[in-house]
């Protein structure tokens, strides 16, 4: 990751600018998560549209892919924000390695309910029915992780 890319570490660098805003820390965290998830949402949606244009008979799968991929992008962004607030030193190689390891485990745990529900329901129903509970579970995970990030953000002091 280069410095020119948008990362969750930007929140740590802009914390003095964002804290005085008249919004709660949880709202700031939620909108930071949604903003960081937009590139993933765009890529998944664009690839689904292109695939549907090439193979129109796959539209139910591509719609489910677009919804599911977008919700997983939000979960990944929320987990990334929580971890950057827990381990804010981006230049420390130990924290960077531990943050990456915890990100892998955390993302697995946060995405597991949605992915498992999709796999289970997809056995009995089509992809459009299966994606509904998966998206709801991913949205719940995103909101919970954003609330946790909001609490961490409210207590965060960049000088420590």
């Amino acid at each position: 990751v280069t410095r020119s890319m948008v990362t969750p570490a930007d929140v740590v660098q802009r914390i003095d600018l964002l804290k005085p805003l008249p919004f709660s820390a949880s709202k700031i965290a939620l909108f930071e998560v949604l903003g960081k998830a937009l590139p993933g949402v765009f890529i998944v949606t664009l690839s689904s549209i292109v695939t549907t244009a090439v193979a129109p008979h796959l539209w139910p799968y591509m719609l489910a892919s677009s919804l599911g991929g977008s919700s997983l992008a939000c979960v990944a962004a929320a987990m990334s924000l929580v971890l950057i607030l827990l381990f804010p030193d981006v230049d420390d190689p130990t924290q960077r390695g531990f943050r990456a390891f915890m990100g892998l485990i955390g993302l697995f745990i946060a995405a597991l309910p949605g992915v498992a529900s999709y796999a289970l329901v997809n056995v009995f129903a089509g992809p459009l029915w299966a994606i509904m509970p998966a998206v709801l579970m991913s949205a719940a995970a995103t909101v919970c992780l954003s609330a946790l990030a909001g609490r961490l953000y409210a207590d965060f002091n960049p000088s420590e």
Side-chain angles (χ1 to χ4, degrees):
V1 176
T2 63
R3 291 281 183 195
S4 63
M5 293 178 65
V6 177
T7 64
D10 298 339
V11 176
V12 174
Q13 295 169 353
R14 295 181 285 129
I15 203 156
D16 291 331
L17 178 69
L18 294 175
K19 267 196 176 180
L21 292 177
F23 305 112
S24 69
S26 296
K27 282 186 182 180
I28 291 174
L30 179 64
F31 283 104
E32 285 289 336
V33 164
L34 294 177
K36 301 296 186 224
L38 278 179
V41 171
F42 177 73
I43 289 169
V44 148
T45 304
L46 183 64
S47 64
S48 294
I49 290 170
V50 169
T51 303
T52 302
V54 171
H57 65 280
L58 294 177
W59 75 267
Y61 297 97
M62 292 302 103
L63 181 59
S65 170
S66 180
L67 294 172
S70 298
S71 65
L72 286 177
C74 292
V75 170
M79 180 57 67
S80 181
L81 181 61
V82 167
L83 289 173
I84 200 70
L85 288 171
L86 285 173
F87 310 106
D89 192 3
V90 293
D91 295 326
D92 182 18
T94 304
Q95 278 193 18
R96 190 172 44 236
F98 190 68
R99 188 174 44 248
F101 177 69
M102 294 305 294
L104 179 68
I105 293 171
L107 186 58
F108 175 77
I109 292 169
L112 183 64
V115 172
S117 72
Y118 177 80
L120 182 65
V121 176
N122 197 29
V123 170
F124 302 108
L128 294 178
W129 289 105
I131 201 63
M132 290 178 201
V135 167
L136 290 175
M137 289 182 189
S138 294
T142 300
V143 168
C144 291
L145 287 170
S146 295
L148 174 62
R151 276 190 239 125
L152 292 170
Y153 180 76
D155 297 334
F156 187 77
N157 185 358
S159 63
E160 289 180 353

